[in-house]
Amino acid sequence: MLTTTRRGFIILGAAAALAACSTTIPMLPKAASSTPESMSDDEILTAINAVRKANGAPAWSYNTRLEDAARSQARLMAQKNTMSHDLGVTLRQRVTTAGYLGAVGENVGKGYTTLEAVIGGWMDSSGHRGTLLSSRFTEFGLAAARGPGGKLYWAMIAGGSFDAWRG
């Protein structure tokens, strides 16, 4: 007969609690595009929403204005060969220029060669994971651009109503 000591019970409980807090990255379908820069909106939407669903978050819709702002940031990072949220143009300036006026959050990444890899990197970072799984955002846009030596720079901008942030 297997007996559980108090110490063993505490260890099992702690392991269960940690497992409940972990995030899930589902097996994502391979993108049909030959390069990350040419992924279709549907491929991107499917991948992001698969991760959101696996982690109990509602689906987002794809927004081309947010994609335009994300593309602007990805290209600027690639041009300067630097990953940053602010390279002289703030997130608010970029989304406003693209015609988006709602609340926004941004994830950036560099060096990841696939959408699946950059999503995994974001999920491994608490701040980026928070943006990716936030229920306050309802839509997003994503883009990638190549810098010197072919290094990829990624930007994802999530958006939603300012009202969702007031409550």
Side-chain angles (χ1 to χ4, degrees):
M1 177 169 187
L2 180 64
T3 59
T4 304
T5 64
R6 180 172 180 222
R7 184 175 185 178
F9 182 75
I10 292 170
I11 291 171
L12 287 173
L18 286 173
C21 293
S22 69
T23 56
T24 303
I25 303 174
M27 291 296 294
L28 299 174
K30 293 293 179 196
S33 300
S34 58
T35 65
E37 305 95 294
S38 64
M39 292 179 297
S40 74
D41 296 353
D42 286 340
E43 289 170 319
I44 295 167
L45 184 65
T46 297
I48 294 293
N49 281 334
V51 172
R52 289 182 55 77
K53 181 179 179 181
N55 289 279
W60 281 346
S61 59
Y62 200 79
N63 184 298
T64 56
R65 288 182 178 170
L66 291 173
E67 177 187 6
D68 290 344
R71 181 173 293 105
S72 171
Q73 181 63 6
R75 287 179 177 164
L76 186 58
M77 290 188 300
Q79 177 187 22
K80 295 186 179 244
N81 199 25
T82 302
M83 184 179 75
S84 176
H85 290 280
D86 186 354
L87 292 169
V89 181
T90 66
L91 173 58
R92 176 53 47 202
Q93 289 169 324
R94 283 184 275 115
V95 297
T96 301
T97 297
Y100 192 85
L101 302 177
V104 290
E106 179 179 59
N107 285 352
V108 296
K110 76 172 180 178
Y112 297 100
T113 58
T114 65
L115 177 59
E116 295 79 13
V118 76
I119 290 171
W122 290 333
M123 291 297 287
D124 287 340
S125 162
S126 63
H128 292 102
R129 182 177 54 250
T131 300
L132 183 59
L133 300 180
S134 176
S135 60
R136 292 182 174 189
F137 296 124
T138 58
E139 55 193 351
F140 78 103
L142 184 143
R146 287 194 191 273
K151 183 179 289 182
L152 280 166
Y153 288 85
W154 300 82
M156 181 194 80
I157 301 176
S161 166
F162 281 114
D163 292 336
W165 295 90
R166 293 185 189 152

